[in-house]
Amino acid sequence: MRNALRWLSASILVVAVVVGCGKVYKQRRTLTEPAQVATIDHKSPFLKAHMRDGGVYILSPWSVDPTARTVSGQGERLDANRRSVGTGAHLIALDSVALFETNVVSTHGSVAALSIVTGASLALTALCLTNPKACFGSCPTFYVSDGTRAVLEAEGFSASVAPALEATDIDALYRARPASRMFEVRMTNEALETHVVRWARVLAAPRPDRGRVVATQAGAFWQASDIVPAQRCSASEGDCLAAIGTIDGVERFSTTDSTDLAAREVIDLEFPIAAGDSLGLIIGSRQTLLSTYLLYQAMSYMGRSVGQWLAALQRGDIRVREQSQSLGRALGGIEVQVLDAGGVWTTVGQTQETGPLASDVRVVPLPRLRPGTTRLRLRLTRGHWRIDYLALARLSGPVTPLRLDPVMVRRGNTTDAQALALLTDSSRTLVTLPGDEYTLVYQLPEDFSRYELFLESRGYYLEWMREEWLAEENPARAMMMFLQPNEALRALAPEFKARERDMEAAFWRSRYVRP
Amino acid sequence: MSARNSRWTAVSAAGLVLLTGACFHSTAPRGWLPTAVEAQRDAYGGWIKLDYAVNGNRQALHGELIAAAPDSVHVLTSEGMVAVLTATVISGTLTTYDANYGGLRLWAIFGGVSTLSHGVGLVFTLPLWAIAGSTATASASKAPRVESTNPALLRAYARFPQGIPPGLDPRSLRQKDIRTLSRH
């Protein structure tokens, strides 16, 4: 239905363009004295020669002979009352002419302006017609200042796509640089979703000297020092060291396998020293759009039955809950591997933060490594992860962060006491809709610059079912995605592969709200 | 969609309707003005509305601009030719051709309607159409308009840009008969 509307409106718009753009002109009229006939505008298809007696010749084609001091052409002579008094070829002496009149007609500039708007409008229609699953989607997005500008630093509870999947998510605000104790976090709803936020707290953990605090997948916080970058990074494409040295948005990523979306790859890392106790690998990463695509594809296949599925989740159906996580398990996280005594790469931990928008920084604690160990390996699904940062650190001890509720909430320049009350009462929730934006203000400890900041958000979100997705309703395929995820990932590989190259750009272009 | 966005969309939709109607309309009889293309070979003057003062009373007349001399403006009304002293003219609005912007207005309105296919994205594209459509339509509608009391600017669009021909009997002038006009 929605696609039909799009085709209809595109067609109507094209017809309107044809009707509208061809007939809107502007006119440039010029009067020329006979003595200045050499300057007359020859672009004018008609020449009017106004005679002293009030009559006028209207000639087309026409020409001027400056030597003979005449104008000639085919046309009509009209008297002062504009009655025709002669048609055919005319030769007129310049001396008998009072004034020449020329008119040049051209397309009005408004046509060009509307053409540009039409092009943009049709492009948006075409984008949604051809690739509806590339339309922007996200969970709540959180922006903080890095000292110079607002940066997208966290996306809350990305995997919580239903009330039954409500979860707490911790994101490192690794680039945050608060300017004062009053620390502001901007929370936005930028997609076609309903966000239900139970809380959004800032966690402040004291940093060690010349160190940072990092969180594990399990939500433990560790003080980290002696942070050293890798000295070698190699993957299937070759050297990847330049991409993973700092958190700068320059990321290492690959593309998916064309036959199996779950196909794995490895990244080999080498550090100056990796042996010893209490080490951890710090990983800054986010997902590619593969997981987003698969979520939308699953909703497409479920079609009208998506409501039943959500209801089953809500009833606490364990089987459905397991099924809902099967694709995520098949794709896996970023596994960290070390060589065991037998020379086999063995997984010792992993990180798996859901979401394609903001890189999160996590640490994977390592077991005691044998003397002489300098190499680590990452094993991950091809085309599933974007890695911005990798570093080895010594984990000097666990730390318990302060949990800070917001002390003020603003919408625009207005204080929103009701939103503050909802966010500070864990029995209630703040519901946001597309375009909503809140500034959450937290009061940090006095020596705020010595604290590492994290965002702890809890809630869930409801993806809006989009009508164009219903066109692909296919219960059998939906079942395959949940019950046989590995087969589904092979079946979907060609289609995803065909869209993969342009998906990231299309995704960000189609963002509903731009911060 | 938030209440704020809903309001913004509604205001834009209303704006689109209202602003595409905020165009210049000539007082010329329907069918009297030639189109820009026809005006290239049309030998009549433009349609003028003159406001002028007589003994402190404001008066207005409408008709074909016959001539605009430095001291007087000659207008052929339905009651014959009237000469108005330039010094008494308060305002003059001359329409030189039919802007024919109906198609453009239709384009803008359909463009606005087509944003229904953008889903909630229309909160951006509908205002864009409202602004661009109304601006373009208003601009096109005003393109053939000359607002001036300066005879030097008006005379190019008079039936006799050279001035009233010597010996012309003003009573002999006939109005354009729009029933017999040939639309090429």
Side-chain angles (χ1 to χ4, degrees), chain A residues 197-201 405-406 418-430:
Chain A
V197 187
R198 193 166 298 283
W199 69 67
R201 296 170 179 152
D405 279 318
Q418 187 183 10
L420 177 65
L422 293 172
L423 286 173
T424 52
D425 178 352
S426 62
S427 66
R428 297 195 290 170
T429 55
L430 173 67

Side-chain angles (χ1 to χ4, degrees), chain A residues 323-507:
Chain A
Q323 289 169 359
S324 72
Q325 294 164 351
S326 57
L327 269 176
R329 280 197 300 270
L331 289 172
I334 301 173
E335 298 173 47
V336 180
Q337 297 184 322
V338 297
L339 271 175
D340 65 15
V344 176
W345 287 105
T346 304
T347 299
V348 295
Q350 73 164 352
T351 183
Q352 185 170 4
E353 169 71 0
T354 305
L357 302 180
S359 279
D360 195 15
V361 178
R362 293 271 177 89
V363 67
V364 177
L366 302 175
R368 181 178 173 79
L369 300 177
R370 291 178 296 115
T373 300
T374 58
R375 293 167 58 201
L376 297 173
R377 171 174 279 187
L378 303 183
R379 182 173 179 269
L380 59 164
T381 297
R382 279 183 56 181
H384 187 33
W385 296 99
R386 289 175 168 265
I387 297 177
D388 196 4
Y389 181 56
L390 292 168
L392 198 65
R394 189 163 303 283
L395 304 182
S396 47
V399 62
T400 302
L402 302 170
R403 283 185 153 72
L404 307 172
D405 279 318
V407 293
M408 184 169 68
V409 176
R410 290 199 312 266
R411 289 196 77 175
N413 293 321
T414 309
T415 301
D416 190 334
Q418 187 183 10
L420 177 65
L422 293 172
L423 286 173
T424 52
D425 178 352
S426 62
S427 66
R428 297 195 290 170
T429 55
L430 173 67
V431 177
T432 74
L433 295 172
D436 286 349
E437 180 179 319
Y438 295 84
T439 300
L440 316 181
V441 184
Y442 301 86
Q443 185 169 23
L444 301 178
E446 276 190 29
D447 50 346
F448 58 88
S449 61
R450 296 176 58 82
Y451 282 79
E452 192 78 49
L453 303 180
F454 299 83
L455 185 86
E456 182 189 69
S457 55
R458 183 173 180 84
Y460 61 91
Y461 65 100
L462 298 171
E463 194 78 51
W464 290 12
M465 194 65 187
R466 302 168 201 183
E467 282 192 45
E468 57 268 38
W469 293 354
L470 297 176
E472 289 187 69
E473 186 169 355
N474 187 332
R477 281 275 184 133
M479 291 305 288
M480 183 200 266
M481 290 184 81
F482 294 126
L483 300 178
Q484 300 168 297
N486 287 313
E487 281 188 30
L489 290 172
R490 283 192 286 275
L492 286 167
E495 186 188 337
F496 180 78
K497 196 69 188 170
R499 299 177 177 194
E500 182 177 26
R501 195 183 66 171
D502 300 323
M503 187 160 273
E504 185 90 8
F507 179 80

Side-chain angles (χ1 to χ4, degrees), chain B residues 72-94:
Chain B
S72 58
V73 179
H74 301 262
V75 180
L76 184 60
T77 70
S78 57
E79 293 158 3
M81 193 160 85
V82 178
V84 179
L85 290 175
T86 307
T88 66
V89 174
I90 299 166
S91 69
T93 304
L94 175 72

